[in-house]
Amino acid sequence: ARCGAELAQADHDSVFLSQTDSIAWLLNIRGGDIPRVPVALCFAVLHKTGAVQLFIEPSATADLTLDAGITVTAPAKMVAGLSTLSGVVRVDPTSCPSAVESVLRDAGCSLSYGADPCVLPKACKNSVEIAGTTAAHLRDAGAMCEFLAWLDAQPADTLSEIDVVRALEGFRQATGALQDISFDTICGTGPNGAIIHYRVTEDSNRTIKSGDLLLIDSGGQYLDGTTDITRTVAIGAVGKAEKSSFTRVLQGMIAMSRIRWPAGLSGRDLDLVARLPLWMAGQDYPHGTGHGVGCFLSVHEGPQRLSRASGQVLKPGMILSNEPGFYKEDAFGIRIENLILVCEAARLPNQTVSDMLNFQTLTWVPIDRRLIETDLLSSQERAWLNIYHQTCYQHVSAELSPAARQWMQAACAEI
């Protein structure tokens, strides 16, 4: 109804929806047609009245109780269905097939180019979605801590990247709630960690050796939420360059976690916050600081981003990743990633800005203290990290195995 009202306010009679995650969110349905993303392949037309024509094989919805106002039509009959439309039809030029535009023009419709009306409200999670994704992150944190405890107990030179990927997915499966992983796990040791979107293959698979940094970027799809987390861990003793670079990445991640900002700013206004500690050392990373994340939907969701390329205003309820990094070609890669939620900030005693926002952390997994040069941290950074680790332990430890709980107690010790 909300999206239909937005169409009516714009004097649009209907909108053609071609983004599967928009349709999944609008109708609160999920599917399994695309690996790692729980959506069904379909198209839809949303009318200003709130009625929806869903173009999907009827057998796919046979077991669903759809709301009144939703009609299901086989894709083979979509052209005929679109030919019955009239008036002003909105199409999103970034996703609508040109063939659909041709059908609508032939039907005599007036096309209005504009944004998919589901994209922004989908990005701003409601209280039910926030509660669900909070629970999903706590469950996923337990799996991650079991995995990291297991990893720390393995002798160096005995595991490969593929071994680690399989083990991590096994720990998520053991929760009994995993629907799928949210993307193919990135697991790179040594020089492979410096390849930002590395995917291990049988040909590239490396043995994890003492002195390596191991970068693991992974996530899970659960019925109540989608997770995405990166941790970089030390395998044995590592060098000073690795530690100092890791500490600067950590400082950037902490700075983004702590920031307050006036409402109305966009991702491009905040992106530099995470880069500043690296910039001061002549370093940087060749990617955005964060992307949007869905709720049991795509792990990469727009329009919100923490990026110099993003003009989208950040709004309460948006979930983003906070993932600065540093990559030394042919040597090592570092990335630390938590998911964060945009919230209304509590008013300060002497605040003169009318409305401010801040981030609430969703991810509760320890950060490898062995890689931190504590002398480089400010007292505020040190306090944030200690509170973060204390909160990790309080939220997660009770559900862990005895071995993982013992590991976590040490991993969350104060610095």
Side-chain angles (χ1 to χ4, degrees):
R2 178 173 33 157
C3 295
E6 192 265 316
L7 292 175
Q9 187 176 13
D11 291 326
H12 295 164
D13 294 286
S14 59
V15 60
F16 180 80
L17 300 175
S18 54
Q19 297 193 70
T20 54
D21 60 336
S22 287
I23 300 168
W25 173 84
L26 178 68
L27 303 181
N28 196 25
I29 60 175
R30 300 296 187 268
D33 290 341
I34 300 176
R36 316 311 186 206
V37 185
V39 296
L41 293 176
C42 58
F43 294 105
V45 173
L46 169 65
H47 297 268
K48 65 181 180 182
T49 61
V52 177
Q53 293 171 268
L54 176 62
F55 298 103
I56 191 171
E57 290 297 342
S59 59
T61 62
D63 295 331
L64 301 179
T65 302
L66 298 175
D67 292 343
I70 301 173
T71 58
V72 176
T73 303
K77 298 180 180 179
M78 187 173 79
V79 171
L82 294 179
S83 297
T84 66
L85 297 179
S86 60
V88 180
V89 180
R90 183 188 300 186
V91 294
D92 189 331
T94 66
S95 60
C96 181
S98 58
V100 169
E101 293 186 33
S102 297
V103 170
L104 293 172
R105 286 197 184 94
D106 291 344
C109 298
S110 297
L111 300 188
S112 177
Y113 292 100
D116 177 335
C118 301
V119 168
L120 190 55
K122 172 168 60 69
C124 299
K125 311 298 184 288
N126 62 30
S127 59
V128 174
E129 291 170 315
I130 291 169
T133 202
T134 298
H137 277 82
L138 291 176
R139 184 185 310 114
D140 197 70
M144 280 295 302
C145 288
E146 293 283 358
F147 160 73
L148 290 171
W150 168 85
L151 180 64
D152 260 11
Q154 307 308 305
D157 304 320
T158 62
L159 295 175
S160 71
E161 294 166 337
I162 289 177
D163 293 332
V164 170
V165 169
R166 289 173 176 164
L168 176 52
E169 185 168 345
F171 283 107
R172 284 197 167 101
Q173 290 282 5
T175 66
L178 185 73
Q179 303 298 303
D180 195 359
I181 55 176
S182 55
F183 57 97
D184 290 336
T185 300
I186 298 169
C187 177
T189 190
N192 285 347
I195 303 170
I196 295 172
H197 296 295
Y198 174 69
R199 296 292 192 278
V200 61
T201 67
E202 293 290 347
D203 291 336
S204 68
N205 190 27
R206 287 178 62 93
T207 298
I208 300 165
K209 299 178 180 179
S210 182
D212 278 358
L213 290 184
L214 177 64
L215 187 156
I216 310 148
D217 187 347
S218 67
Q221 292 282 12
Y222 303 93
L223 290 176
D224 46 5
T226 301
T227 68
D228 184 3
I229 174 175
T230 307
R231 288 296 181 263
T232 303
V233 298
I235 307 299
V238 300
K240 182 176 178 60
E242 287 92 328
K243 289 184 177 181
S244 59
S245 296
F246 182 92
T247 305
R248 285 189 281 271
V249 172
L250 174 62
Q251 288 175 303
M253 195 277 285
I254 292 174
M256 188 65 77
S257 301
R258 296 181 61 232
I259 191 172
R260 296 168 55 96
W261 70 93
L265 298 187
S266 65
R268 67 187 174 203
D269 300 312
L270 303 189
D271 178 78
L272 63 85
V273 170
R275 297 181 190 273
L276 187 57
L278 288 160
W279 283 356
M280 297 303 292
Q283 297 174 327
D284 201 357
Y285 48 94
H287 56 75
T289 299
H291 56 84
V293 178
C295 189
F296 191 40
L297 277 173
S298 177
V299 76
H300 288 96
E301 175 184 87
Q304 71 275 29
R305 286 191 293 164
L306 294 172
S307 165
R308 286 174 280 192
S310 177
Q312 171 61 51
V313 172
L314 297 175
K315 296 178 178 292
M318 289 179 168
I319 297 174
L320 300 111
S321 64
N322 172 15
E323 50 180 315
F326 177 70
Y327 311 92
K328 185 174 182 181
E329 189 174 0
D330 298 325
F332 60 84
I334 298 165
R335 190 160 61 251
I336 308 171
E337 177 187 16
N338 282 350
L339 295 194
I340 49 180
L341 172 70
V342 180
C343 300
E344 295 179 358
R347 193 168 186 85
L348 298 175
N350 298 315
Q351 183 171 316
T352 58
V353 176
S354 57
D355 296 300
M356 300 193 77
L357 303 177
N358 62 3
F359 289 122
Q360 173 186 317
T361 296
L362 294 171
T363 306
W364 300 107
V365 176
I367 294 162
D368 196 339
R369 296 162 60 258
R370 299 167 297 188
L371 285 169
I372 302 171
E373 289 199 348
T374 55
D375 291 345
L376 296 180
L377 298 181
S378 69
S379 59
Q380 290 180 322
E381 290 166 342
R382 190 186 298 248
W384 184 93
L385 186 62
N386 285 332
I387 292 171
Y388 176 75
H389 278 156
Q390 181 183 29
T391 309
C392 286
Y393 191 79
Q394 291 171 347
H395 282 347
V396 180
S397 63
E399 301 300 321
L400 298 180
S401 65
R405 191 180 305 119
Q406 183 176 11
W407 170 88
M408 194 178 192
Q409 188 172 19
C412 292
E414 284 197 0
I415 59 169

